[in-house]
């Protein structure tokens, strides 16, 4: 077939480096940008096949999120705006690792297994972050797409969640919104203004928010969106990419892991601040108190704030809908305790990676999901959306109930249900704080985080660690879990686990305990156990100072 001949010829222009094996990880392929050209071309091919199979538009996003600027990556977006389904992650890995001469036969295999009709039309949309390598790499994706005569639309520089939104809008005939950047800004800002317009006496000071754009795409898009918000939110942007390096000493990942403010931000005491990550699908909040102490409000605090707000509105509206919160093993123990025991909401724990949380959240009327690092959103079931809309329009409902239903309706419109979205989450948080008349300090005191620490350990092959129980227990290598258990026993309110990262070549260590001193000691001892039992390389982990 002519199509395959063209694939053969064009793939020679996107050669695979010899001996390179990559895997579709937690959030797609991710490695040094130099090694990704062939992967991009091939993902263009695969997205086209996926589009033919699903008879829908598929998205391909070129980004490496919070990774250093030199890295890059790619992820595929399925028809409803969610991460591509696991079976196709497997195909992605096969296709990315096929030798040049086997490429067409691997493709034919996938076509056969999935019974894809190659005469179907296909449509692929692409987007990219601000990394210097992203432009060429997204061209390689489009090269793959054009080989198979698929229709394509390149959105160029967009945040990851904006591309997810485009895919969802495109595949629902505009029911979810208009599939343009303008449509995205209009939908979100309209909902935000509707939510905040009735809040009495909001001062300019309360409307002000300091935003760290991680020197990435989020900064660019915040600038674009600002006029739509009509001063209802007054953003002071830092790390806007005009001078600093992407994710370097700034951004949501840096702030969360280092537990300190980003460089380049001028924080006044009590001032509300937030950081996006490199592709603007994560957000964390923070402030410095008058004594100069730094306070972090991470994904767990965000989930608590949003689910409390939703529960209150549902009660006020008299709607009987179940709210659940989905977390991962990285969720602070205090947050889980608060959600279960005080808020009395169902909490479930999944493996790391948004695809797992998203999937679990779909099981509930309203599923709030957040990773501790600030990646998350809220999913409303069809039933929930219908009940809210009916009540908002019901002429017989009391004013109080109707008011609550209208707030819920606008909240639904403000949330990007395709995936976690820093901009959308920021607007929700700002609206909730305004509506409930809360300061960032009020929010912070809902519960107190247990001191925690995250570390990385380099090992020869991180695949030697296999885990179970939503990654909270290590099954291999032998003896590792026993060592962790023995170490945890030495401390109060302690918990620790280890797992291989799906985005970096490291093993991640997480620990929490009653004091920072204890948790730092525990995290260090667990790191040593990993180093010794799981083939550590380089220098032995040193105690934290
Ligand atoms: C502990 C942690 O923050 N892990 C992150 C990180 O995954 P790892 O598999 O841990 O590298 O990147 C993922 C993609 O952005 C994100 O979903 C996840 O939460
Ligand atoms: Mg990200």
């Amino acid at each position: 077939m002519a199509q395959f001949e063209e694939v053969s010829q064009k793939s020679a222009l996107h050669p695979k480096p010899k001996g390179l094996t990559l895997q579709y990880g937690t959030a797609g392929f991710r490695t040094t940008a130099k090694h990704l050209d062939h992967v991009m071309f091939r993902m263009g091919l695969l997205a086209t096949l996926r589009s033919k199979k699903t008879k829908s538009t598929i998205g391909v996003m070129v980004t490496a999120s919070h990774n250093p600027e030199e890295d890059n990556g790619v992820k595929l977006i399925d028809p409803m705006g969610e991460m591509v389904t696991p079976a196709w992650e497997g195909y992605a890995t096969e296709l990315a690792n096929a030798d040049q001469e086997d490429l067409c036969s691997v493709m034919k295999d996938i076509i056969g297994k999935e019974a894809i009709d190659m005469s179907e039309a296909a449509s692929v949309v692409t987007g990219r972050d601000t990394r210097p390598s992203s432009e060429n790499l997204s061209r390689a994706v489009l090269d793959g797409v054009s080989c198979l005569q698929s229709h394509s639309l390149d959105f160029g520089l967009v945040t990851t969640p904006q591309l997810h939104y485009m895919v969802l809008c495109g595949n629902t005939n505009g029911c979810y919104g208009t599939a343009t950047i303008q449509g995205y800004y209009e939908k979100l800002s309209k909902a935000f203004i509707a939510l905040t317009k009735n809040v009495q006496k909001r001062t300019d000071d309360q409307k002000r928010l300091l935003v760290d754009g991680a020197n990435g795409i989020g900064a660019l898009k915040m600038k674009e969106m600002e006029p739509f918000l009509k001063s209802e939110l007054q953003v002071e942007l830092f790390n806007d990419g005009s001078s600093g390096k992407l994710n370097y000493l700034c951004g949501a990942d840096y702030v969360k892991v280092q537990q300190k403010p980003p460089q380049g931000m001028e924080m006044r005491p009590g001032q509300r601040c937030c950081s996006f990550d490199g592709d603007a699908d994560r957000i964390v909040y923070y402030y410095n108190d008058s004594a100069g102490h730094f306070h972090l409000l991470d994904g767990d605090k965000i989930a608590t704030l949003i689910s409390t707000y939703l529960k209150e509105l549902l009660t006020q509206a008299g709607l009987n809908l179940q709210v659940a919160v989905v977390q991962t093993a990285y969720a602070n123990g205090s947050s889980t305790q608060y959600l279960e025991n005080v808020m009395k909401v169902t909490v479930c724990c999944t493996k790391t990676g948004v695809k797992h949380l998203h999937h679990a959240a779909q099981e509930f009327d309203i599923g709030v999901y957040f990773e501790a690092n600030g990646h998350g959103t809220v999913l409303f079931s069809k039933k929930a959306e219908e009940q809210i809309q009916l009540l908002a329009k019901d002429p017989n409902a009391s004013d109080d109930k109707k008011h609550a239903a209208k707030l819920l309706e606008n909240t639904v419109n403000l949330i990007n249900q395709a995936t976690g979205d820093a901009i959308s989450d920021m607007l929700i948080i700002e609206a909730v704080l305004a509506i409930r008349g809360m300061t960032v300090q009020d929010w912070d005191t809902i519960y107190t985080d247990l001191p925690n620490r995250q570390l990385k350990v380099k090992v020869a092959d991180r695949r030697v660690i296999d885990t179970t129980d939503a990654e909270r227990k290590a099954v291999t290598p032998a003896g590792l879990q026993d060592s962790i258990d023995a170490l945890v026993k030495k401390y109060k309110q302690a918990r620790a686990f280890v797992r291989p990262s799906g985005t970096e070549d490291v093993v991640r260590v997480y620990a929490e305990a009653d004091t920072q001193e204890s948790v730092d000691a525990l995290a260090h001892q667990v790191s040593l156990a990993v180093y010794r039992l799981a083939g550590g390389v380089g220098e032995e982990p040193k105690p934290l100072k």
Side-chain angles (χ1 to χ4, degrees):
M1 243 161 95
Q3 279 180 335
F4 291 110
E5 262 162 44
E6 195 171 340
V7 170
S8 260
Q9 279 171 14
K10 281 260 179 77
S11 71
L13 303 173
H14 302 281
K16 178 169 107 71
K18 276 218 163 18
L20 180 72
T21 317
L22 297 170
Q23 200 172 359
Y24 199 96
T26 314
F29 293 102
R30 236 180 246 191
T31 185
T32 162
K34 298 197 286 277
H35 288 160
L36 281 168
D37 183 69
H38 69 295
V39 176
M40 298 291 165
F41 173 76
R42 294 167 184 209
M43 288 309 104
L45 298 174
L46 191 69
T48 306
L49 296 186
R50 181 81 185 137
S51 171
K52 287 178 188 288
K53 164 81 188 182
T54 58
K55 303 185 177 56
S56 306
T57 296
I58 296 296
V60 183
M61 181 70 195
V62 176
T63 180
S65 182
H66 62 279
N67 286 42
E69 188 168 270
E70 303 71 47
D71 284 0
N72 219 321
V74 58
K75 42 192 170 191
L76 299 188
I77 305 169
D78 249 5
M80 288 301 112
E82 73 279 37
M83 305 281 186
V84 77
T85 194
W88 282 68
E89 288 186 358
Y91 297 149
T93 301
E94 283 168 28
L95 206 61
N97 294 323
D99 284 332
Q100 203 82 10
E101 57 277 17
D102 300 332
L103 188 59
C104 285
S105 70
V106 172
M107 259 179 70
K108 284 178 192 161
D109 252 17
I110 299 171
I111 294 166
K113 270 191 207 144
E114 293 289 329
I116 295 168
D117 175 359
M118 289 302 282
S119 66
E120 274 289 341
S123 154
V124 175
V125 293
T126 53
R128 64 179 149 90
D129 69 13
T130 54
R131 288 179 158 75
S133 58
S134 292
E135 195 170 351
N136 275 339
L137 290 175
S138 74
R139 238 178 257 135
V141 173
L142 290 167
D143 239 13
V145 175
S146 75
C147 263
L148 295 175
Q149 284 83 48
S150 165
H151 174 262
S152 67
L153 178 60
D154 181 18
F155 281 100
L157 289 166
V158 283
T159 69
T160 295
Q162 284 176 334
L163 192 68
H164 284 258
Y165 166 91
M166 299 307 163
V167 173
L168 178 54
C169 291
N171 288 321
T172 48
N173 292 322
C175 284
Y176 191 73
T178 311
T180 60
I181 290 292
Q182 166 118 359
Y184 170 93
Y185 293 141
E186 279 172 357
K187 179 177 176 184
L188 267 58
S189 52
K190 195 172 153 219
F192 178 73
I193 290 167
L195 279 173
T196 49
K197 73 168 187 254
N198 293 324
V199 177
Q200 305 285 313
K201 295 195 223 99
R202 254 177 100 224
T203 62
D204 276 357
D205 226 25
Q206 285 162 335
K207 292 181 189 173
R208 191 160 304 126
L209 175 67
L210 271 50
V211 178
D212 155 28
N215 290 317
I217 185 70
L220 225 76
K221 296 292 149 180
M222 246 351 277
K223 276 188 207 155
E224 268 177 32
M225 188 173 193
E226 230 184 324
F228 291 84
L229 293 168
K230 305 221 167 29
S231 304
E232 281 308 309
L233 180 68
Q234 295 170 17
V235 168
E236 257 182 78
L237 198 57
F238 295 86
N239 300 319
D240 65 355
S242 52
S243 55
K245 200 172 166 181
L246 178 70
N247 296 331
Y248 182 63
L249 306 178
C250 63
D253 197 63
Y254 173 84
V255 173
K256 166 74 181 157
V257 177
Q258 302 299 324
Q259 303 184 24
K260 54 181 173 201
Q263 273 200 0
M265 200 171 218
E266 295 143 33
M267 294 164 71
R268 295 172 289 278
Q271 174 72 57
R272 231 167 38 250
C273 307
C274 68
S275 285
F276 296 174
D277 75 334
D279 60 342
D281 60 1
R282 289 196 208 170
I283 187 166
V284 292
Y285 269 69
Y286 43 90
Y287 70 97
N288 272 339
D289 62 24
S290 45
H293 292 134
F294 175 75
H295 295 250
L296 175 70
L297 294 100
D298 62 3
D300 305 333
K301 291 245 160 151
I302 298 173
T304 308
L305 179 76
I306 297 178
S307 51
T308 310
Y309 160 78
L310 289 173
K311 262 199 103 172
E312 275 181 15
L313 283 182
L314 289 169
T315 309
Q316 202 182 326
L319 289 173
N320 185 20
L321 294 165
Q322 186 196 13
V323 180
V325 177
V326 184
Q327 305 186 311
T328 70
Y330 292 98
N332 195 281
S334 285
S335 75
T336 316
Q337 158 95 8
Y338 179 83
L339 287 163
E340 280 179 338
N341 301 341
V342 183
M343 290 238 342
K344 311 256 184 249
V345 296
T346 308
V347 180
C348 50
C349 181
T350 70
K351 287 200 223 171
T352 302
V354 168
K355 58 191 173 202
H356 302 294
L357 290 105
H358 192 94
H359 193 69
Q362 284 171 327
E363 299 299 311
F364 303 95
D365 295 336
I366 300 178
V368 179
Y369 75 80
F370 272 89
E371 294 192 297
N373 60 30
H375 195 168
T377 187
V378 185
L379 302 184
F380 294 86
S381 66
K382 208 158 176 248
K383 169 180 140 190
E385 284 198 16
E386 278 167 5
Q387 288 193 14
I388 292 168
Q389 281 160 8
L390 269 179
L391 184 62
K393 280 194 223 88
D394 185 353
N396 301 319
S398 70
D399 285 352
D400 222 31
K401 285 191 173 167
K402 240 174 145 152
H403 176 68
K406 289 232 165 82
L407 286 177
L408 282 165
E409 200 174 30
N410 282 313
T411 305
V412 173
N413 288 333
L414 184 48
I415 286 169
N416 185 347
Q417 293 191 59
T419 192
D421 180 337
I423 293 179
S424 153
D425 290 338
M426 174 190 79
L427 293 174
I428 286 285
I429 293 164
E430 290 300 305
V432 173
L433 293 177
I435 292 166
R436 303 183 81 210
M438 283 169 83
T439 62
V440 69
Q441 291 87 344
D442 298 335
W443 172 20
D444 192 30
T445 50
I446 294 181
Y447 66 83
T448 307
D449 271 327
L450 275 172
N452 57 91
R453 180 65 69 195
Q454 248 196 72
L455 296 174
K456 299 178 191 183
V457 184
K458 282 230 171 249
V459 297
D461 181 0
R462 66 196 200 274
R463 289 172 303 183
V464 299
I465 298 187
D466 196 11
T467 62
T468 181
D469 187 23
E471 306 177 320
R472 289 173 288 198
K473 287 211 154 46
V475 186
T476 61
L480 179 58
Q481 190 57 47
D482 291 342
S483 305
I484 297 173
D485 290 343
L487 291 168
V488 165
K489 271 205 194 113
K490 299 193 334 201
Y491 299 92
K492 289 198 192 90
Q493 289 179 279
R495 184 169 75 92
F497 66 91
V498 303
R499 57 175 277 282
S501 160
T503 59
E504 292 171 59
D505 190 11
V506 295
V507 174
R508 292 197 199 281
V509 171
Y510 177 86
E512 58 188 37
D514 60 339
T515 66
Q516 195 63 49
E517 213 180 359
S518 302
V519 75
D520 283 348
L522 173 60
H524 170 245
Q525 287 157 359
V526 173
S527 299
L528 274 180
V530 171
Y531 183 87
R532 287 173 189 156
L533 296 167
V537 294
E539 257 183 75
E540 210 174 66
K542 295 232 162 39
L544 284 117
K545 277 188 216 108

